[in-house]
Amino acid sequence: MYTQALNQQDGVATQATPASEDAGAVARFEARVAAEDKIEPNDWMPAAYRRTLVRQISQHAHSEIIGMQPEGNWITRAPSLRRKAALLAKVQDEGGHGLYLYAAAETLGVSREELYAQLLSGKAKYSSIFNYPTLTWADIGAIGWLVDGAAIMNQIPLCRTSYGPYARAMIRVCKEESFHQRQGYEIMLTLSRGTAEQKAMAQDALDRWWWPSLMMFGPPDGESQHSDQSMRWKIKRFTNDDLRQQFVDATVPQGHHLGLTFPDPELRFDAEGGHWRFGAIDWAEFKAVLAGNGPCNRQRLKTRRNAHESGAWVREAALAHAAKRRARAAQPARAAE
Amino acid sequence: MTEAAMPLWEVFIRARAGLSHRHVGSVHAPDAAMALLAARDTYTRRGEGLSIWVVPSAAIAASDPADRDALFEPTASKPYRHPTFYEVPDDVGHM
Amino acid sequence: MSGICDMTSILVAQDAPPLLLHVLRLADTALVLGHRLSEWTGRAPMLEEELALANAALDYIGQARSLYDYAARLDGRGRTEDDLAYLRDTPDWRCWLIAELPNGDFAHSVLRQFLVAAALQPYWRALAASRDATLAAIAAKAEKEAAYHLRHAGEWVIRLGDGTDESHRRMTEALEDLWPYTGEMFEADAVEAALVAEGVAPDPLALRPAWEAMVARVLAEATLDLPAPCAWMQSGGRRGVHTEHLGHLLAVMQHLPRSYPGAVW
């Protein structure tokens, strides 16, 4: 998912676990989490819990911010004013979600500036899906339908995650995202009912986005390094494979309704199990994209870095102006001369 | 190198007339005036509010979770503060 | 449906009714400003500004949609808001030149936003008293949006003008670049004169003193020098004589509807 790289090692420096954490404190903490109590910023928490949360929340935030780029690529070319407003509002929401999530991470004692620095240096990860290019307008439909559809599968359970500020941010995110997937599906529906060229555009988008969407849920459960502990701490509430299957089951009938074909010859309905069974995912591609070799990895980071650097003078000036005001206010009022 | 930190502000919004302001999240801004604008642009995009407060995050004093028992436990043993503690016959009617 | 649609560029003749031409002028300016602001997406100097710029862009796009919808009804030939936005060529556009200039750096963008909002806010306020009820309703809504744009951009002008040496230098340059395009916002030609006479539109010239006072106050607080009032002013947008930049903007914006004639999106 947006935090799929949790299952991989990244270069983000984290606080070391103290040699011995008070066993009693750990037990009390785990009992609280088991009882569905929420953990709040000032509460005692194991160092590994804090570390995992910072990584997960910041990866999620980075994904939202980098995720603005592929869709932002089409704002100026949206084919109607209605679509233009909807797309801009959606990409703006992604910026907002990044903002809420960075703020949630900040409650754990890291600053937004530090988190940005980790992203811009290439140390921190973000979702692999955003390293694919948006080549036609249909990609905007496919992203809304598939990528947001996958995201929402993951995000709804996160509304009940054990860390209070993260859960509250996710509640706001989910509430706002409710239009995103519908927006995308409506685009796909319009295209698949449109001209032959438009229908081909929609099929091509499904062909390119289907497998990367399935990869969004992260590696299979057996290979997922951090899953067990995250599940116990209720940072994560379903396994990668469970969520992936839920997504496939929900999405395949929607695709058939569009009259489109999934690029998977092995896709079939298992009537006994009640699930859509899908073919093997190309994990080599997933690993390559996560390692930085996707079609757009370098471009995405470079764009973000350029935006950040070309805004530095603005942030400096704003801080300098605030300092001037404080200095003026601190000056003793001068008597009329 | 990490650049200078943009101050953090906590945002409180009154959703409707008659309600109190409620914490909704935070924003970064250089000063109070810009923090108010940022809060408006971030947290009231779907008609969520009628009034905004912003407070420097650093200005908030919070109770220590370790004091939870000392601060909040004693209140549990004072049921006489609640109306259900008192017996009033049903035929007296609503009181 | 393709084949029926006339794909030649839609012309609204220069001798079309003044009200239609005027509504199109307002719509074109709003859409082009919204489009330019939307180009900031993913590039703003702070995350909070991403949201602020997108909010303003959405306000402008919303204004443009209401105005195009009204223009299409006035035109009465079954055209839609999208036909007017996507199927007219550069010479048929009537926006102010200042709206179509490229964004430049953040200094240029917030200064444009400020200079334009300072003109539009009093304009919408006056237009809200129009004898044309539709225009009055659109203006009443737009006035509130412009008031916020003015405040937001004005706060930035002050901070960047009176911030660091670099921000002051950039703001000074932006002011020199944009100032020659401010005069056009107060021009009234025969089209507007006719509407002014009927009580449908306010006289932009009468609103100029309020704009000058606002600009002088904010620039003074921003420690920026007010440019000389007699400087030569650029003009032509309302007659369809544009800068080189509008054609590129339209080429991008209109690409899909132009490439797939008659398709529905």
Side-chain angles (χ1 to χ4, degrees):
Chain A
M1 191 42 56
Y2 284 8
T3 54
Q4 65 197 175
L6 276 183
N7 307 300
Q8 311 281 314
Q9 287 306 319
D10 63 22
V12 174
T14 45
Q15 305 144 266
T17 308
S20 62
E21 270 175 347
D22 175 4
V26 174
R28 280 193 300 279
F29 170 85
E30 299 212 328
R32 281 185 65 190
V33 170
E36 296 288 339
D37 200 0
K38 292 283 185 248
I39 306 303
E40 294 296 339
N42 292 334
D43 290 343
W44 185 88
M45 62 187 84
Y49 177 84
R50 181 184 301 273
R51 195 162 60 225
T52 306
L53 273 174
V54 169
R55 288 179 69 215
Q56 174 161 339
I57 300 171
S58 61
Q59 280 187 16
H60 196 157
H62 298 329
S63 298
E64 296 280 359
I65 297 306
I66 296 287
M68 296 172 77
Q69 289 183 41
E71 288 176 286
N73 183 36
W74 280 88
I75 290 171
T76 57
R77 289 178 291 172
S80 73
L81 296 181
R82 178 173 180 270
R83 295 278 182 231
K84 194 182 192 69
L87 180 59
L88 178 52
K90 177 178 189 285
V91 176
Q92 182 198 42
D93 273 350
E94 282 152 17
H97 300 167
L99 194 157
Y100 309 153
L101 288 161
Y102 282 127
E106 285 179 273
T107 64
L108 292 158
V110 284
S111 69
R112 189 196 284 181
E113 286 79 8
E114 287 171 69
L115 297 173
Y116 267 2
Q118 290 171 0
L119 172 66
L120 298 178
S121 70
K123 280 188 208 158
K125 301 292 184 196
Y126 56 86
S127 179
S128 59
I129 195 80
F130 302 119
N131 291 314
Y132 291 88
T134 51
L135 303 178
T136 74
W137 172 250
D139 290 15
I140 300 308
I143 289 181
W145 171 39
L146 301 173
V147 176
D148 288 275
I152 208 96
M153 289 271 161
N154 185 56
Q155 290 175 345
I156 285 175
L158 283 176
C159 295
R160 295 186 295 121
T161 195
S162 60
Y163 186 58
Y166 190 24
R168 290 190 288 274
M170 290 316 301
I171 288 170
R172 185 172 277 275
V173 167
C174 287
K175 211 187 274 178
E176 295 187 355
E177 281 215 343
S178 53
F179 89 86
H180 292 188
Q181 194 188 11
R182 292 171 69 99
Q183 177 258 180
Y185 192 74
E186 193 191 87
I187 291 173
M188 294 302 275
L189 197 61
T190 309
L191 294 176
S192 21
R193 290 175 179 171
T195 64
E197 284 160 315
Q198 286 177 305
K199 192 160 183 180
M201 208 183 267
Q203 181 63 55
D204 165 63
L206 175 57
D207 290 348
R208 283 182 290 110
W209 290 94
W210 175 247
W211 289 110
S213 299
L214 297 190
M215 294 173 197
M216 284 177 70
F217 294 91
D221 294 348
E223 292 172 29
S224 185
Q225 295 169 18
H226 302 270
S227 253
D228 291 350
Q229 192 171 52
S230 287
M231 296 280 281
R232 196 173 74 246
W233 281 343
K234 300 191 198 288
I235 293 174
K236 203 172 161 171
R237 310 215 51 148
F238 291 98
T239 71
N240 295 352
D241 285 336
D242 282 349
L243 287 168
R244 188 166 16 243
Q245 185 63 56
Q246 267 184 48
F247 172 71
V248 171
D249 289 342
T251 308
V252 170
Q254 294 165 357
H256 290 157
H257 185 84
L258 295 172
L260 299 178
T261 310
F262 287 86
D264 178 1
E266 291 174 49
L267 187 69
R268 62 178 178 84
F269 190 68
D270 166 10
E272 265 176 54
H275 292 293
W276 283 93
R277 302 295 177 200
F278 48 95
I281 293 172
D282 180 0
W283 292 112
E285 175 181 325
F286 171 73
K287 281 175 189 147
V289 175
L290 219 53
N293 298 317
C296 299
N297 294 57
R298 294 181 63 81
Q299 175 191 335
R300 298 286 185 244
L301 260 193
K302 197 170 255 184
T303 301
R304 187 87 288 276
R305 208 175 286 137
N306 285 344
H308 190 73
E309 284 166 8
S310 53
W313 70 270
V314 176
R315 298 188 295 274
E316 271 167 34
L319 289 171
H321 181 82
K324 284 184 189 179
R325 281 199 183 196
R326 278 196 303 275
R328 281 176 211 148
Q331 266 173 11
R334 235 182 258 169
E337 285 162 41
Chain B
M1 201 193 79
T2 307
E3 68 175 58
M6 187 64 72
L8 187 64
W9 305 75
E10 297 306 317
V11 179
F12 299 81
I13 289 184
R14 183 200 302 287
R16 287 197 313 276
L19 298 183
S20 50
H21 286 74
R22 184 163 166 256
H23 184 245
V24 295
S26 46
V27 291
H28 285 271
D31 53 59
M34 294 306 277
L36 275 173
L37 299 187
R40 180 266 187 190
D41 279 317
T42 302
Y43 291 104
T44 68
R45 288 175 294 140
R46 287 169 167 83
E48 293 96 330
L50 297 176
S51 165
I52 304 174
W53 289 348
V54 291
V55 179
S57 302
I60 290 182
S63 64
D64 185 339
D67 294 339
R68 178 144 60 174
D69 288 353
L71 292 174
F72 308 116
E73 191 65 28
T75 193
S77 56
K78 297 177 180 66
Y80 44 81
R81 291 197 207 274
H82 299 282
T84 47
F85 181 76
Y86 303 94
E87 297 270 348
V88 177
D90 286 348
D91 53 4
V92 174
H94 179 73
M95 186 177 281
Chain C
M1 70 193 60
S2 57
I4 302 168
C5 182
D6 171 17
M7 275 313 293
T8 56
S9 179
I10 291 184
L11 273 165
V12 176
Q14 288 289 354
D15 61 356
L19 181 57
L20 169 58
L21 288 175
H22 188 62
V23 172
L24 272 178
R25 290 174 173 184
L26 295 172
D28 288 351
T29 293
L31 181 55
V32 169
L33 284 168
H35 187 96
R36 285 296 187 216
L37 280 172
S38 79
E39 291 173 350
W40 269 102
T41 306
R43 297 178 171 81
M46 289 172 61
L47 203 35
E48 283 74 7
E49 285 311 304
E50 287 286 350
L51 303 195
L53 295 170
N55 278 340
L58 288 167
D59 287 342
Y60 279 127
I61 293 168
Q63 292 167 12
R65 293 187 64 188
S66 304
L67 290 161
Y68 283 129
D69 182 60
Y70 187 35
R73 279 187 281 137
L74 291 169
D75 181 50
R77 283 179 281 180
R79 288 166 182 163
T80 65
E81 58 173 34
D82 287 331
D83 293 337
L84 292 172
Y86 287 89
L87 301 179
R88 280 181 304 139
D89 274 344
T90 314
D92 297 325
W93 281 68
R94 295 177 173 79
C95 51
W96 288 332
L97 301 180
I98 195 170
E100 69 201 48
L101 297 175
N103 284 332
D105 62 5
F106 192 69
H108 281 75
S109 284
V110 293
L111 185 65
R112 169 183 31 212
Q113 178 79 342
F114 167 70
L115 293 171
V116 170
L120 282 176
Q121 195 230 344
Y123 189 84
W124 292 126
R125 176 177 290 177
L127 190 64
S130 169
R131 288 177 58 185
D132 183 293
T134 308
L135 215 40
I138 293 171
K141 180 168 180 289
E143 195 254 326
K144 298 182 189 101
E145 293 167 347
Y148 185 77
H149 302 164
L150 179 59
R151 172 178 305 190
H152 175 258
E155 295 284 7
W156 271 116
V157 168
I158 291 165
R159 279 157 186 76
L160 298 181
D162 186 21
T164 60
D165 289 347
E166 182 182 4
S167 71
H168 185 84
R169 177 182 62 71
R170 286 175 182 264
M171 286 303 289
T172 303
E173 191 183 322
L175 198 52
E176 286 166 3
D177 288 347
L178 295 175
W179 194 253
Y181 295 92
T182 56
E184 195 187 28
M185 299 192 291
F186 304 99
E187 283 176 6
D189 61 5
V191 169
E192 285 198 66
L195 298 173
V196 172
E198 292 167 26
V200 170
D203 181 358
L205 210 55
L207 302 170
R208 184 164 188 139
W211 179 82
E212 283 173 347
M214 169 62 76
V215 170
R217 185 177 70 69
V218 170
L219 291 189
E221 198 174 341
T223 70
L224 293 166
D225 293 331
L226 193 66
C230 54
W232 175 255
M233 290 291 170
Q234 303 295 330
S235 145
R238 317 225 106 180
R239 288 177 285 118
V241 182
H242 290 275
T243 65
E244 291 178 346
H245 310 293
L246 182 63
H248 293 275
L249 184 154
L250 295 180
V252 170
M253 187 176 86
Q254 299 180 335
H255 150 66
L256 276 175
R258 295 275 201 182
S259 301
Y260 299 90
V264 173
W265 301 94

